[in-house]
Amino acid sequence: MQKTTRLGVAALSAVLALGLAACGGGSTTTPTSSGAPAAAGSTGEFNGALTAVVNPSDKKGGILKLANAGDWDSLDPGDTYYGYSWNFIRLYGRSLVMFKSAPGKTGNELTPDLAEGLGTPSDDAKTWTYKLKAGIKFEDGTPVTSKDVKYGVERSFDKEVFPDGYTYFNDFLNWPKDYKGAYKSKDVNTDSAIETPDDQTIVFHLKQPLSNFDYFAQLPATIPVPKDKDTGAKYKEHVISTGPYKFDKNEIGKGFTLVRNDQWDPATDPNRKALPDGYDVATNVNADDIDNRVLAGDLDVDVTGTGVQPAALGRILPDPAVKAGTDNPTGTRLWYTSINGNVAPLDNLECRKAVEYAADKTALQTAWGGEFAGGQIATSLLPPSIPGHEDFNTWVPGADNKGDVTKAKEALTACGQPNGFETNIAYRAERPKEKAAAEALQQSLGRVGIKLTLKPFPQTDYFALYAGKPGYAKDNKLGLAMNGWQSDWPDGFGFLQQIVDSRVIRDTGGSSNISVRDPEVDKLIDQAMEQTDPNSRNGIWTQIDKKVMDDAYILPNVWAKALLVRSKNATNVFVNDAYGMYDYLGMGVK
Amino acid sequence: MVTYIIRRLIWSVVMLSIVSIITFAIFFLVPRLAGATSEDLAARYVGRTASAEQVKVAAEKLGFNDPLVVQYGRFAKGIVVGADYDYGPGVERCPAPCFGYSFLTRLPVWPDLLDRLPVTISLALGAAVIWVIAGVATGVLSALKRGSFFDRAAMSIALAGVSMPIFFTGMVSLVLFSYGLKITVAGGTYTPFLTNPATWAYDLLLPWITLAFLYAAGYARLTRAGMLETMNEDYIRTARAKGLRERTVVVKHGLRGALTPILTIFGLDLGLLLGGAVLTESTYSLPGIGKYAIDAIGRQDLPQVMGVTLVAAFFVVVANLVVDLLYAVVDPRVRLV
């Protein structure tokens, strides 16, 4: 009987809670709302952390609590490819150079980390030399040498063991023929790619000139790995630290904790404040629950930095006090539609122009999540925060961005398709926003007679087997394909090379470049890669952006934005432009 | 009785083998029928940046070029005798029962499953105790006080419980009790039983109650219906005529007769939950089998999905076996032959 009563009480409480929640969510937001005004007064204004440090402090101590709605691709510096992971990895690993831990555009600047200075180019930027600082040690006290950096890069070569990482070093360094990485080519001399003339010097040899190799040198693969402690695929279970923190507990799939690394010497490291005593990170946590906890002050950071879920948006945006504790950065991600020139009649520029003109950009913005969680309407490829971005709009879709039906029809007539045409549009089935954007295009292009049929594909194989496989796309008339790209680092090469260089397209599929095939663009990319003067180089990236837009191979949708919630307990909160999210290196605990 | 158990155990092994063959076919035969090549299957194991040559090598290494029978044989052999896997600098033994090796997380599946099993068992058993006691007690009382205010209120709450999905009641409960009133813990909090039994129970209190609320509702309605029917049977009238106490009549004669269908449902429910309480674990971010399953499905991590499917099937088969054995205990009319 007593048990029954308890159940009844529990049941009634839950029903009561539901009833209260149904009354506009007042009761569930009350605790947050009541706590928010005080927080808003001390933590700045809406977008306050985009250009300045909110809650500046040098107070040490405390544990910063973070959560991830998914799982890390890998904690191994040789096998991780998420932006948030590169942001976070600086806590336990030091690469040759790094992005400055600073708000706004300063965060885009490179600064030496393991190295004494930025790289010294020679041989027409085909050789790059770095000198390591003295006194840097692994967590076990062993001194870090250039050979540990070289080994870190060599092991990352093996994509069978480390499938999640990038292939920049594989593709650009002058590796010996048939080299297969540190495990399968153990005794192969790799001096043609990386030399270590002494313990403090490392020299990279490239196959071609590369004027911006310093961006390669900031990649996590240059974080040193001690060969005798390397456990291959299992190294992610205990990465040997060189940063101010080291792993304490690590349960893959559940979470991990970081504690102070007593072998880290602040004298060798002007970039890290190392304020908290540790970090507590939970993975695979319900995304809505993360938002609720951050808003309630129970959790400090949603580590993925991709913004709150739609449910939380409804709580934040209408409440000025809560909104004041949030930031809405425009990241380095472009959501776009590839227009495949291999599929008739889109092989005709005029037909591609018709698509550009007819698209309703405001409907696309809504489909991607609106002004705050979706993004800013994009008129070209390069996002505003990337050097080389220039404001231009080649195909103006009407003054109100809702599409220029007249110009679209003119283009269709010039294309020889005055009544429009039929084609398919591919999108990733698991992504409702991509589906919504495809539907928005279906509706707006339908106004001029371009009939789109929606074709969903599984996201795992989207590029490898379907939209990204040229033969399949052509045979199945995938004239349009929803697509997205985030810059690996904030420069034209990091953003454009993988999505506009026709030479990255493979018959076997897998490339993010689905549609841009222009030899002139390829030539310009080569020029940019050889240009050592940053201003001239950025000018070439602008040219490439304009050329691709002239070709109308890409319909830009939005430059992604995310609504980030500032922690109530954290100090030194700011958005680092290099990552488009809060900088995890500077944060402390109140 | 012994013959019956042996026969059922053999049948259980056969059932599990059939489930494993069907699961294997879904993941490896169906894509081939749809035109996927060995390289297509291997592509998801080597990342997007791999070259065609690397994909080819991976397909060969993973054995995707072998006939399907050989591939299934290798999988089954791994469960029985174990398997080896290459982690880069060397080869490591994955001891039996090796449910495969995830080439996405780069970890063997079986230790992962073992690691997450205690969470799911804790969640399922704790909630089961609550829902059985609460559900059956409410059902019996409702039946005995048919038409009363208690009966109507309890059945209305039961209807609400059955109707509301757990991801809704779970999120509302978290916001209200964990982040608002701060009387329960935040999502994702779990302490192993052996570390501290009291904290273990406290951490799981909210998931237990939420999950039990969903199930208790159904059990209350089922028990009420069963009791109403049983209490009108002739043997109940006989029991009362013999002068037995009302309590004895209700519990020993009435409830016992009404328990058989509840036991059947309970076996299925508990078996399914032990195979992974997907929604509850996802809502409360509990690292159990259900959360593992949903994450694996999201990543299309086939070895992990295969492992979870077999574990879930195992629990359902075992739970049903136990229920069949319990029939004889609960209902004297049942004899196992």
Side-chain angles (χ1 to χ4, degrees):
Chain A
M1 181 65 199
Q2 204 181 355
K3 300 271 182 190
T4 313
T5 312
R6 275 188 204 154
L7 176 76
V9 170
L12 281 169
S13 303
V15 170
L16 186 65
L18 291 168
L20 291 170
C23 299
S27 78
T28 52
T29 53
T30 300
T32 309
S33 302
S34 60
S42 59
T43 58
E45 298 169 344
F46 177 60
N47 277 339
L50 294 189
T51 51
V53 178
V54 174
N55 284 338
S57 167
D58 283 332
K59 180 178 171 283
K60 292 198 172 192
I63 303 291
L64 214 54
K65 292 195 288 182
L66 300 90
N68 185 338
D71 204 356
W72 236 265
D73 54 348
S74 173
L75 292 163
D76 188 321
D79 196 28
T80 180
Y81 207 171
Y82 283 130
Y84 73 82
S85 179
W86 292 10
N87 181 0
F88 188 87
I89 206 167
R90 299 174 300 162
L91 293 166
Y92 60 86
R94 297 180 67 177
S95 46
L96 285 173
V97 303
M98 63 182 280
F99 288 110
K100 281 184 181 167
S101 178
K105 293 204 181 299
T106 314
N108 276 343
E109 294 172 17
L110 290 168
T111 187
D113 189 7
L114 273 184
E116 288 177 346
L118 296 179
T120 308
S122 55
D123 188 20
D124 291 332
K126 279 173 77 177
T127 299
W128 287 77
T129 305
Y130 296 85
K131 286 269 182 195
L132 268 60
K133 288 173 191 161
I136 297 175
K137 294 174 185 169
F138 287 111
E139 67 181 60
D140 60 0
T142 315
V144 169
T145 71
S146 55
K147 290 174 182 63
D148 300 315
V149 179
K150 176 178 179 175
Y151 181 73
V153 177
E154 283 178 340
R155 69 192 282 281
S156 76
F157 188 99
D158 192 333
K159 292 299 150 202
E160 269 184 61
V161 181
F162 305 116
D164 297 320
Y166 35 85
T167 58
Y168 291 113
F169 289 112
N170 297 33
D171 299 339
F172 283 85
L173 291 182
N174 188 33
W175 298 104
K177 194 170 178 293
D178 297 329
Y179 184 67
K180 289 188 168 65
Y183 308 128
K184 298 184 181 73
S185 304
K186 276 180 193 163
D187 302 321
V188 174
N189 184 321
T190 55
D191 284 354
S192 63
I194 310 173
E195 278 185 287
T196 51
D198 58 59
D199 280 355
Q200 300 303 116
T201 309
I202 184 162
V203 184
F204 294 92
H205 297 290
L206 310 174
K207 286 189 281 196
Q208 63 189 90
L210 192 63
S211 53
N212 61 348
F213 187 78
D214 276 333
Y215 286 109
F216 280 40
Q218 61 81 32
L219 290 168
T222 69
I223 290 173
V225 175
K227 192 173 182 179
D228 59 336
K229 299 274 170 59
D230 182 21
T231 48
K234 296 193 293 179
Y235 185 66
K236 66 178 178 183
E237 293 170 33
H238 190 141
V239 176
I240 306 298
S241 166
T242 45
Y245 299 94
K246 62 181 179 181
F247 284 91
D248 181 21
K249 277 195 302 182
N250 184 9
E251 295 180 279
I252 304 287
K254 293 181 182 174
F256 57 89
T257 53
L258 297 180
V259 294
R260 287 195 184 277
N261 171 17
D262 58 8
Q263 295 299 318
W264 172 72
D265 182 359
T268 67
D269 195 344
N271 302 310
R272 293 166 174 84
K273 286 189 174 180
L275 297 178
D277 283 339
Y279 292 79
D280 190 347
V281 185
T283 57
N284 287 317
V285 180
N286 182 299
D288 287 308
D289 194 35
I290 291 178
D291 292 342
N292 288 333
R293 289 175 64 183
V294 175
L295 285 166
D298 181 68
L299 184 74
D300 298 318
V301 185
D302 172 0
V303 72
T304 56
T306 49
V308 297
Q309 303 300 306
L313 273 180
R315 293 173 60 189
I316 295 168
L317 295 176
D319 187 335
V322 182
K323 191 179 168 188
T326 63
D327 298 284
N328 194 210
T330 302
T332 55
R333 179 184 287 279
L334 171 73
W335 292 115
Y336 65 96
T337 310
S338 294
I339 307 176
N340 194 342
N342 270 0
V343 178
L346 293 165
D347 50 349
N348 185 322
L349 172 63
E350 293 297 333
C351 276
R352 297 200 296 273
K353 275 166 64 176
V355 173
E356 300 269 359
Y357 278 130
D360 181 342
K361 291 274 183 94
T362 57
L364 282 171
Q365 186 187 37
T366 305
W368 285 112
E371 183 189 346
F372 294 99
Q376 174 185 345
I377 288 177
T379 54
S380 60
L381 273 58
L382 281 172
S385 58
I386 293 188
H389 165 86
E390 203 175 284
D391 284 330
F392 66 92
N393 195 352
T394 311
W395 316 108
V396 182
D400 55 1
N401 270 325
K402 289 184 183 297
D404 190 329
V405 174
T406 312
K407 281 194 174 170
K409 283 184 175 168
E410 284 169 13
L412 280 174
T413 307
C415 176
Q417 305 278 345
N419 298 318
F421 57 87
E422 288 184 24
T423 193
N424 297 314
I425 180 164
Y427 66 93
R428 284 166 273 204
E430 298 87 342
R431 300 189 177 193
K433 287 182 180 177
E434 283 198 8
K435 185 183 181 212
E439 285 169 344
L441 275 177
Q442 187 184 40
Q443 206 162 7
S444 55
L445 267 56
R447 296 177 300 181
V448 296
I450 302 175
K451 287 183 190 160
L452 297 183
T453 304
L454 269 56
K455 296 281 181 187
F457 296 102
Q459 65 177 356
T460 321
D461 301 324
Y462 189 70
F463 291 99
L465 304 182
Y466 305 111
K469 193 166 185 174
Y472 184 93
K474 189 174 182 181
D475 294 346
N476 293 276
K477 294 188 169 40
L478 299 180
L480 304 182
M482 299 312 300
N483 211 334
W485 181 257
Q486 180 163 21
S487 179
D488 282 352
W489 54 79
D491 90 331
F493 178 87
F495 187 84
L496 289 172
Q497 192 255 349
Q498 285 294 315
I499 59 170
V500 302
D501 189 331
S502 71
R503 294 162 294 188
V504 303
I505 300 176
R506 289 173 290 198
D507 288 340
T508 49
S511 169
S512 287
N513 183 5
I514 294 175
S515 61
V516 185
R517 296 175 179 83
D518 183 342
E520 277 188 52
V521 169
D522 298 347
K523 270 188 213 164
L524 284 167
I525 290 171
D526 290 343
Q527 281 177 30
M529 284 162 66
E530 290 169 19
Q531 180 54 259
T532 48
D533 174 55
N535 289 331
S536 307
R537 191 166 66 222
N538 291 338
I540 302 174
W541 296 122
T542 314
Q543 256 181 286
I544 293 171
D545 194 352
K546 287 182 174 168
K547 183 74 179 77
V548 175
M549 287 311 300
D550 286 344
D551 290 336
Y553 283 131
I554 282 178
L555 168 69
N557 292 189
V558 291
W559 289 303
K561 293 183 81 151
L563 191 67
L564 309 176
V565 180
R566 248 173 266 144
S567 166
K568 291 178 177 176
N569 313 312
T571 59
N572 293 333
V573 184
F574 58 87
V575 172
N576 186 320
D577 267 13
Y579 303 105
M581 64 185 80
Y582 294 130
D583 185 297
Y584 302 143
L585 211 50
M587 249 183 224
V589 182
K590 274 183 189 169
Chain B
M1 177 83 168
V2 176
T3 319
Y4 176 82
I5 293 175
I6 292 171
R7 207 171 60 228
R8 284 298 304 267
L9 281 174
I10 293 171
W11 180 237
S12 300
V13 173
V14 173
M15 273 300 293
L16 287 173
S17 303
I18 293 170
V19 168
S20 74
I21 291 170
I22 293 172
T23 318
F24 193 86
I26 288 171
F27 289 124
F28 294 95
L29 174 64
V30 174
R32 279 179 188 276
L33 294 177
T37 63
S38 306
E39 283 77 22
D40 293 340
L41 290 172
R44 50 175 73 130
Y45 291 85
V46 289
R48 267 182 58 189
T49 52
S51 65
E53 192 197 342
Q54 285 168 327
V55 174
K56 215 169 185 174
V57 170
E60 186 60 41
K61 196 175 161 187
L62 294 166
F64 289 153
N65 293 324
D66 297 334
L68 274 176
V69 180
V70 175
Q71 289 184 48
Y72 176 76
R74 200 162 35 230
F75 172 73
K77 188 181 166 192
I79 295 176
V80 180
V81 298
D84 293 326
Y85 66 90
D86 179 0
Y87 63 95
V91 173
E92 191 169 74
R93 185 78 185 153
C94 172
C98 183
F99 276 67
Y101 170 72
S102 163
F103 287 88
L104 293 176
T105 63
R106 328 296 290 174
L107 294 168
V109 173
W110 181 240
D112 268 357
L113 291 172
L114 278 185
D115 186 42
R116 283 155 174 81
L117 212 48
V119 181
T120 300
I121 292 174
S122 301
L123 175 66
L125 289 183
V129 168
I130 296 175
W131 91 58
V132 167
I133 292 173
V136 171
T138 309
V140 169
L141 286 173
S142 283
L144 295 178
K145 298 180 178 184
R146 187 182 182 184
S148 67
F149 172 76
F150 175 84
D151 180 26
R152 283 199 294 269
M155 286 306 110
S156 301
I157 293 169
L159 187 64
V162 176
S163 312
M164 287 185 297
I166 204 148
F167 53 81
F168 181 65
T169 47
M171 286 311 285
V172 171
S173 307
L174 273 172
V175 169
L176 186 68
F177 299 113
S178 295
Y179 312 134
L181 300 173
K182 296 192 187 296
I183 54 174
T184 48
V185 296
T189 316
Y190 174 77
T191 307
F193 179 81
L194 293 176
T195 307
N196 186 336
T199 317
W200 167 80
Y202 178 60
D203 289 353
L204 286 169
L205 192 61
L206 203 54
W208 278 346
I209 292 174
T210 320
L211 187 58
F213 183 44
L214 180 76
Y215 281 91
Y219 281 69
R221 291 174 73 83
L222 203 64
T223 308
R224 181 179 179 273
M227 281 297 284
L228 285 176
E229 195 182 324
T230 314
M231 292 306 282
N232 285 325
E233 294 279 350
D234 289 344
Y235 70 86
I236 296 291
R237 195 163 54 244
T238 308
R240 281 189 176 128
K242 276 164 51 182
L244 291 176
R245 284 193 310 161
E246 185 62 15
R247 190 173 172 173
T248 311
V249 172
V250 170
V251 176
K252 278 195 79 173
H253 296 273
L255 183 58
R256 203 166 171 182
L259 267 185
T260 314
I262 292 169
L263 201 59
T264 311
I265 296 286
F266 180 73
L268 275 175
D269 284 344
L270 189 64
L272 283 170
L273 273 184
L274 287 171
V278 175
L279 287 178
T280 314
E281 289 175 14
S282 298
T283 305
Y284 287 98
S285 310
L286 291 170
I289 297 283
K291 185 81 175 80
Y292 186 72
I294 203 76
D295 294 337
I297 291 165
R299 290 192 296 257
Q300 297 197 13
D301 194 333
L302 304 188
Q304 288 188 347
V305 177
M306 290 274 293
V308 171
T309 309
L310 287 179
V311 166
F314 170 80
F315 279 120
V316 171
V317 167
V318 169
N320 274 286
L321 175 62
V322 172
V323 164
D324 284 353
L325 296 176
L326 282 177
Y327 276 160
V329 180
V330 174
D331 192 340
R333 292 169 297 185
V334 176
R335 289 286 171 268
L336 303 176
V337 284

